[in-house]
Amino acid sequence: MSEFRIHHDVNELLSLLHVRGGDGAEGYIDLLQKHRTPYVNTTVSSHSAKVKLAEFSKTPEDFLRKYEELKSKNVRNLDPLVYLLSKLCEDKETLQFLQQNAKERSESSTNTTATTTTSYSLPQTSTKMSMQELDELRKKLGNVTASSNAPLPAEVTRKMLRDKHNKKNPTLPNPVFPNWVYDRPALLGDFITSSGPTGDPVVAIGTMPLPAQEQALVEDLLFVLVGVDGRDITAQPVLGRQNRSFIVDSTLDMSIKELVNRILPVASYYSTITRFIEEKSSFEYGQVNHALTAAMRTLMKEYLILVTQLEHLQRQGLLSLQKLWFYIQPTMRTMEILASIASSVDKGECMGGATLSLLHDRTFNYTGDSQAQELCLYLTKAASVPYFEILEKWTYRGIIKDPYSEFMVEEHELQKEKIQEDYNDKYWDQRYTIVQHRIPSFLQKMADKILSTGKYLNVVRECGRDVTCPDAKEVLYTLKERAYVEQIEKAYNYASKVLLDFLMEEKELVLRLRSIKHYFLMDKGDFFVHFMDLTEEELKKPVDDIVPPRLEALLELALRMSTANTDPFKDDLKIDLMPHDVITQLLRVLAIETKQEKAIINAEPTEVGLSGLEAFSFDYIVKWPLSLIINRKALTRYQMLFRHIFYCKHVERLLCNVWICNKDFKLYSSHCAKWFAAAFALRQRMLNFVQNIQYYMMFEVMEPTWHIMENNLKTASNIDDVLCHHTSFLDNCLKDCMLTNPELLRIFSKLMSVCVMFTSCMQRFTQSKRLERLSKEQGTMDGPPTEREHAEEAEKKRLNTKLLSEHADTLQSDAGFETSISKFDSNFSTLLLDLLDKLSIYSTNDCEHSMISIIYRLDFNGFYTERLEKMAIERSQKASA
């Protein structure tokens, strides 16, 4: 069971039980995931569980009757459900909780009903109801109950199925039998029940001698066995799916009547089978049921031949009632099995795979009865032919031709172009899906491989290449499942190899992934130096003021001027200006509700007015079928990693620019050395932090994980393995780069903000000191100036005056600057300690051992060790208190 299925089922169960409070679904989901097993273990013995539940039930007869009814309908997973319920009965605590829960729900529903409905009371009557009135009321209630439980009329069911099929395939409407086929009951071969009186016989059969009675009954039975009423034996009307019953003349001799009652079940079986054949032969009930009715019709022909032969003996006066009973006995077992199968398919409203499951289960249930098993095997083989034809087209060519919605794989109308546009596009998962109730039970274990085989071939066909499995052979039903299992295995292996070779060799998947790595994971250093130098001024602007074509041109220039020029796929790299920063982008890509994601949702977005640097990202053009692997979801993850590293690289450049500007401070007086030294030390600590974080992400997370993925891709056997390895690579990178932990991400973003604000402060102070120096140097020239020097001096004064007027508000006192540096130092140290503390906790509690490398890098000389130990002691004291 997949993780998403577990989430859905647990939430559904909690909502049905109205469970509130606690950890919600998360605790149960974690527990189930820890104890789930890859092996199928749902085959259980239900006999003891059924007996136990019957003993526990207040009405065991009703329970057993309901169980047999559901069993006759071939309800899936009935035995595992009964087994689960028997285990719940043994658990007193769970049972008490369920009883309390049911009581609370009934009380709440009663209160709701009381407030929303009007109550009625029966009028007081002074007279008692007579027996005749009571019988009439009982009949009326019985008719109402029967009509409410009766199935829909056959014509209504056919119309519903026809509308469903035509809606799915509007261009190919299914064929329909003409109305006269259904309007002429004499064509059906079943009893025609008339409402008019049949007329009393001239002589009551009970008054005739025994030999005459026997001959009359033999003639009547031969009529009844082929669906025609006799003189003394008449068929009763049937309601819904009831079995046919008969009325025998009450004056008949008891010995003859007893023998007649033994033979009449064959006539009832014949009626059931005939009605089933006539109804399920319609196109609306699908090809499997049509093939089943055709096989039954063949068997019924043999039965009718037997009855014809008996009629021939009767006309010759050679057929007695005892001989009729003797000749009909071998056929009786066959007719009983056919009628039982017909009733089960009809009650369960089975079509396609459900019908085959029922037939397969019946075949196995008759293991000790060779004749019955051979009969069921014949029916199953005949009914499985159209299903296996659909299966062969799907597994050998990747084509679905299923006009009646019988096959286990269902096709959905999805556009493959959206896989590059929509983050939540589910093309690969939802274009073709498994429909559980259509899976024949003998193909249950192979369902996933059948789905994957057709999907692989279909992808290649979507690319314009016709593929056919070279090992294609006709698939036939057999009790030895290994026969068709081997065929499906061969088709699966071929389809996996074809698609994998197509993507790896012809479409160069690995080279594409390496190209994406060059740009999104920044392993082309010279390209990024060129690009950031070229776009630095442009990206400083607000995002609304940036001209995207200009950025595209600068990107093109950087690609041509660097080693990226050798990349054959460089033209697929594009510029993308996002409307939100990387933290908000994380909020937008969530798919399911978890604790972690709820925490991210509660995180505060950081953008007020985005700059180009905060909004900048790369995008990449990927065409079908590579978009199955490099889809929008994968590209979004690459973008988050890129934006994270790119912003770190930007902060590093800012800090390096501060170092360059601070060279001028060597010329100043020594009294500034104290707080200049503090600022330089803080700048160096910040630079050390940013560079070590970058080194950790690029060389301890991305590069090793990338090599693991590349090695895994070499051993991948199918496209699902490739998807799994690629997704695992991205998930591990996001997790180890602290992008999936909202708490760490929030601290890290604050640290980056402190670094950026510090560089801004240092740039302003440097500018103010430079302006002070320029103002002191005005008018200190040596010797008489020339005309040219006069002009230069005048221009210089004009520019200095302009700069002084523009930056007057940036001039700071030495004391104010010292206070600012002290605040920056305090904030940075506090946040860095907080980050190291959280990293220590996560690396210990959540076994995130890779993150501990950051601690070793940033605390290489034990500078923060003592303070971290103090924080750990305080935390443990708070926890114990």
Side-chain angles (χ1 to χ4, degrees):
M1 184 182 289
S2 68
E3 181 181 352
F4 296 101
R5 181 68 183 274
I6 292 174
H7 273 269
H8 171 76
D9 290 348
V10 170
N11 282 299
E12 189 75 15
L13 182 61
L14 292 179
S15 64
L16 288 172
L17 294 175
H18 297 284
V19 175
R20 297 289 184 270
D23 291 336
E26 292 301 315
Y28 301 106
I29 292 167
D30 292 340
L31 191 63
L32 287 172
Q33 287 180 338
K34 287 178 183 176
H35 293 87
R36 68 176 176 174
T37 171
Y39 305 106
V40 178
N41 54 4
T42 53
T43 304
V44 295
S45 175
S46 62
H47 179 70
S48 58
K50 180 177 68 174
V51 172
K52 189 178 297 182
L53 280 178
E55 293 174 353
F56 185 80
S57 173
K58 294 180 180 178
T59 53
E61 296 85 1
D62 293 340
F63 168 76
L64 292 174
R65 193 181 303 112
K66 188 65 177 178
Y67 175 83
E68 294 300 330
E69 179 187 344
L70 295 175
K71 198 71 176 174
S72 68
K73 292 182 179 180
N74 197 41
V75 174
R76 292 226 173 177
N77 298 322
L78 177 62
D79 290 343
L81 175 63
V82 170
Y83 182 78
L84 173 64
L85 292 176
S86 69
K87 290 296 181 184
L88 289 177
C89 292
E90 296 175 0
D91 190 340
K92 294 183 179 179
E93 185 178 352
T94 305
L95 196 62
Q96 185 178 1
F97 170 77
L98 291 174
Q99 289 172 344
Q100 181 65 26
N101 185 275
K103 183 180 178 182
E104 292 174 358
R105 290 174 63 188
S106 64
E107 289 175 356
S108 63
S109 62
T110 303
N111 295 335
T112 305
T113 307
T115 57
T116 57
T117 58
T118 308
S119 58
Y120 296 93
S121 58
L122 291 173
Q124 296 289 334
T125 56
S126 56
T127 58
K128 293 183 178 180
M129 188 176 291
S130 65
M131 290 301 297
Q132 183 178 358
E133 291 173 340
L134 186 63
D135 289 339
E136 290 178 359
L137 180 60
R138 188 182 293 115
K139 287 179 181 178
K140 289 180 181 179
L141 291 174
N143 292 335
V144 171
T145 306
S147 62
S148 62
N149 294 330
L152 293 172
E155 58 271 14
V156 176
T157 305
R158 285 195 298 271
K159 186 177 185 304
M160 290 171 61
L161 291 172
R162 189 162 55 248
D163 292 342
K164 179 183 176 182
H165 297 156
N166 292 339
K167 185 178 180 181
K168 183 180 178 183
N169 299 307
T171 57
L172 295 172
N174 291 327
V176 182
F177 282 134
N179 291 331
W180 57 265
V181 173
Y182 308 108
D183 294 340
R184 299 183 181 183
L187 295 176
L188 301 181
D190 193 19
F191 293 92
I192 302 174
T193 54
S194 58
S195 56
T198 57
D200 296 329
V202 178
V203 180
I205 193 168
T207 61
M208 298 169 61
L210 284 179
Q213 288 187 31
E214 183 177 356
Q215 289 301 317
L217 262 299
V218 167
E219 184 178 358
D220 269 11
L221 283 171
L222 290 175
F223 279 116
V224 170
L225 289 176
V226 292
V228 180
D229 281 333
R231 189 186 67 169
D232 301 302
I233 304 175
T234 55
Q236 289 286 89
V238 291
L239 183 63
R241 298 186 176 100
Q242 294 177 353
N243 293 326
R244 181 80 68 179
S245 60
F246 299 90
I247 297 177
V248 184
D249 194 310
S250 57
T251 62
L252 189 65
D253 183 78
M254 289 302 296
S255 59
I256 297 176
K257 191 173 184 180
E258 179 66 26
L259 200 52
V260 167
N261 287 332
R262 290 184 188 177
I263 300 172
L264 280 179
V266 181
S268 177
Y269 300 150
Y270 170 82
S271 175
T272 300
I273 298 166
T274 303
R275 280 181 283 134
F276 176 80
I277 290 174
E278 295 301 330
E279 180 182 353
K280 303 300 180 183
S281 295
S282 299
F283 295 106
E284 292 83 0
Y285 290 96
Q287 300 176 79
V288 172
N289 283 341
H290 188 80
L292 175 62
T293 56
M296 284 186 171
R297 204 184 293 272
T298 302
L299 295 172
M300 292 299 290
K301 286 180 182 178
E302 298 179 3
Y303 167 78
L304 292 174
I305 290 171
L306 172 64
V307 176
T308 304
Q309 292 172 347
L310 293 175
E311 288 178 353
H312 183 67
L313 291 175
Q314 191 264 341
R315 283 196 294 271
Q316 294 178 348
L318 301 177
L319 186 65
S320 65
L321 203 56
Q322 286 289 346
K323 283 186 178 181
L324 177 60
W325 170 240
F326 173 77
Y327 287 127
I328 208 72
Q329 278 188 73
T331 310
M332 193 171 189
R333 177 63 174 157
T334 301
M335 297 293 286
E336 181 184 3
I337 294 171
L338 292 178
S340 173
I341 291 173
S343 298
S344 297
V345 172
D346 198 26
K347 288 178 181 178
E349 298 179 352
C350 300
M351 285 180 62
T355 300
L356 293 180
S357 295
L358 187 146
L359 292 171
H360 174 76
D361 294 343
R362 288 297 177 91
T363 305
F364 261 93
N365 291 340
Y366 288 129
T367 301
D369 188 343
S370 59
Q371 183 182 358
Q373 189 177 49
E374 186 178 352
L375 174 63
C376 289
L377 185 61
Y378 166 76
L379 293 175
T380 312
K381 283 183 176 179
S384 64
V385 169
Y387 194 90
F388 280 138
E389 287 177 357
I390 303 173
L391 177 65
E392 288 168 14
K393 285 185 179 178
W394 175 246
T395 54
Y396 293 155
R397 300 188 63 196
I399 299 172
I400 281 191
K401 191 176 181 182
D402 182 24
Y404 301 101
S405 301
E406 299 174 283
F407 191 51
M408 68 174 77
V409 179
E410 187 173 37
E411 182 179 9
H412 304 277
E413 292 297 328
L414 295 176
Q415 297 178 1
K416 61 178 181 291
E417 290 77 13
K418 287 189 176 180
I419 202 168
Q420 267 298 298
E421 302 169 5
D422 185 6
Y423 174 85
N424 286 316
D425 184 72
K426 302 285 186 180
Y427 182 88
W428 182 249
D429 296 325
Q430 294 185 359
R431 172 71 192 276
Y432 296 102
T433 56
I434 288 284
V435 183
Q436 285 295 328
H437 68 271
R438 297 185 198 166
I439 305 175
S441 54
F442 52 88
L443 292 178
Q444 183 73 49
K445 296 178 182 177
M446 301 296 296
D448 290 334
K449 283 195 174 180
I450 291 171
L451 173 66
S452 299
T453 302
K455 282 169 67 175
Y456 297 163
L457 295 176
N458 186 265
V459 171
V460 182
R461 288 180 59 82
E462 290 276 353
C463 297
R465 292 181 52 179
D466 191 17
V467 286
T468 304
C469 179
D471 299 321
K473 293 181 182 178
E474 185 180 7
V475 183
L476 297 173
Y477 175 79
T478 173
L479 290 177
K480 298 176 181 178
E481 294 184 10
R482 193 64 206 163
Y484 48 77
V485 166
E486 288 178 356
Q487 286 298 110
I488 294 169
E489 288 278 2
K490 289 179 181 178
Y492 173 76
N493 293 333
Y494 169 76
S496 302
K497 187 176 185 305
V498 165
L499 181 57
L500 197 61
D501 292 346
F502 181 67
L503 290 177
M504 290 292 190
E505 296 174 10
E506 188 171 334
K507 296 298 180 180
E508 301 175 317
L509 174 62
V510 176
L511 292 179
R512 281 281 182 178
L513 290 174
R514 285 177 185 164
S515 174
I516 290 174
K517 177 174 179 279
H518 292 333
Y519 309 117
F520 286 86
L521 304 187
M522 299 179 70
D523 75 343
K524 288 285 186 184
D526 64 326
F527 161 70
F528 278 98
V529 170
H530 282 300
F531 180 73
M532 296 184 82
D533 286 341
L534 291 170
T535 59
E536 186 172 11
E537 294 301 322
E538 189 73 17
L539 291 177
K540 285 180 180 178
K541 301 177 183 177
V543 68
D544 295 333
D545 297 339
I546 293 176
V547 182
R550 178 171 172 76
L551 278 181
E552 293 281 357
L554 295 173
L555 171 63
E556 183 75 14
L557 184 60
L559 287 169
R560 303 301 177 198
M561 291 171 59
S562 64
T563 55
N565 193 36
T566 59
D567 181 15
F569 308 116
K570 62 181 178 296
D571 293 333
D572 292 329
L573 186 67
K574 301 296 177 186
I575 296 292
D576 191 9
L577 293 175
M578 310 293 284
H580 36 71
D581 67 358
V582 67
I583 295 177
T584 309
Q585 187 178 15
L586 280 169
L587 307 182
R588 294 170 64 87
V589 298
L590 302 178
I592 56 174
E593 287 284 328
T594 63
K595 285 182 181 177
Q596 188 176 5
E597 288 156 353
K598 286 176 182 176
I600 295 177
I601 290 171
N602 294 329
E604 301 170 359
T606 58
E607 80 272 24
V608 178
L610 283 181
S611 67
L613 283 160
E614 293 171 318
F616 177 77
S617 180
F618 282 142
D619 201 0
Y620 202 84
I621 299 173
V622 188
K623 295 181 181 178
W624 177 266
L626 290 175
S627 54
L628 284 174
I629 309 297
I630 313 169
N631 51 29
R632 176 48 55 186
K633 185 173 287 189
L635 280 174
T636 304
R637 292 172 178 174
Y638 276 117
Q639 284 180 332
M640 288 189 290
L641 289 168
F642 167 76
R643 297 178 73 187
H644 191 50
I645 306 171
F646 185 75
Y647 195 72
C648 289
K649 186 66 71 175
H650 163 65
V651 175
E652 181 190 5
R653 286 170 65 90
L654 290 177
L655 290 168
C656 290
N657 289 336
V658 169
W659 176 80
I660 294 171
C661 295
N662 291 160
K663 284 183 180 181
D664 295 342
F665 287 137
K666 294 178 182 179
L667 305 175
Y668 298 143
S669 58
S670 60
H671 78 276
C672 301
K674 181 181 177 182
W675 38 268
F676 272 144
F680 295 162
L682 179 58
R683 183 208 64 223
Q684 191 57 37
R685 286 175 58 206
M686 288 180 173
L687 191 60
N688 178 67
F689 166 72
V690 174
Q691 288 176 339
N692 276 287
I693 285 289
Q694 285 184 78
Y695 185 93
Y696 161 76
M697 290 191 295
M698 298 184 71
F699 294 101
E700 294 191 17
V701 174
M702 294 178 187
E703 203 63 32
T705 314
W706 172 266
H707 284 294
I708 292 171
M709 183 190 74
E710 268 201 335
N711 292 331
N712 288 335
L713 291 182
K714 292 176 184 177
T715 60
S717 60
N718 54 61
I719 197 66
D720 283 304
D721 288 347
V722 174
L723 274 167
C724 180
H725 295 321
H726 186 231
T727 304
S728 177
F729 161 72
L730 290 171
D731 287 345
N732 288 335
C733 288
L734 287 169
K735 180 185 69 176
D736 292 338
C737 291
M738 301 179 290
L739 287 176
T740 58
N741 191 310
E743 199 168 10
L744 295 177
L745 187 62
R746 193 180 300 114
I747 298 171
F748 184 81
S749 64
K750 288 179 180 178
L751 277 166
M752 291 290 103
S753 299
V754 170
C755 292
V756 172
M757 288 188 289
F758 170 77
T759 58
S760 300
C761 178
M762 290 298 293
Q763 292 285 2
R764 287 197 304 270
F765 189 77
T766 303
Q767 187 67 32
S768 68
K769 287 295 181 184
R770 186 178 292 116
L771 292 173
E772 287 178 9
R773 183 181 172 188
L774 288 172
S775 63
K776 291 177 181 179
E777 290 178 352
Q778 289 181 6
T780 60
M781 297 169 52
D782 297 329
T786 63
E787 292 185 6
R788 181 179 177 184
E789 288 175 343
H790 269 300
E792 290 178 355
E793 185 65 23
E795 181 64 20
K796 192 174 181 180
K797 285 183 179 181
R798 187 182 67 81
L799 291 174
N800 287 342
T801 305
K802 182 180 179 182
L803 285 171
L804 284 169
S805 62
E806 288 178 353
H807 297 278
D809 57 335
T810 64
L811 297 177
Q812 300 181 17
S813 66
D814 294 347
F817 176 74
E818 188 176 2
T819 304
S820 299
I821 296 300
S822 177
K823 287 182 179 178
F824 279 124
D825 195 340
S826 174
N827 291 337
F828 180 78
S829 299
T830 303
L831 289 170
L832 184 56
L833 277 170
D834 196 14
L835 178 66
L836 294 175
D837 185 46
K838 293 293 189 295
L839 286 171
S840 177
I841 294 171
Y842 286 120
S843 62
T844 304
N845 296 346
D846 298 342
C847 299
E848 301 293 349
H849 301 304
S850 60
M851 289 185 181
I852 206 166
S853 299
I854 305 177
I855 300 176
Y856 294 147
R857 287 194 161 276
L858 298 177
D859 192 26
F860 64 94
N861 59 356
F863 180 75
Y864 300 107
T865 303
E866 185 179 351
R867 298 173 70 177
L868 287 172
E869 289 175 353
K870 285 183 180 179
M871 293 175 71
I873 293 171
E874 290 175 2
R875 187 168 53 250
S876 62
Q877 288 175 350
K878 288 180 180 178
S880 60

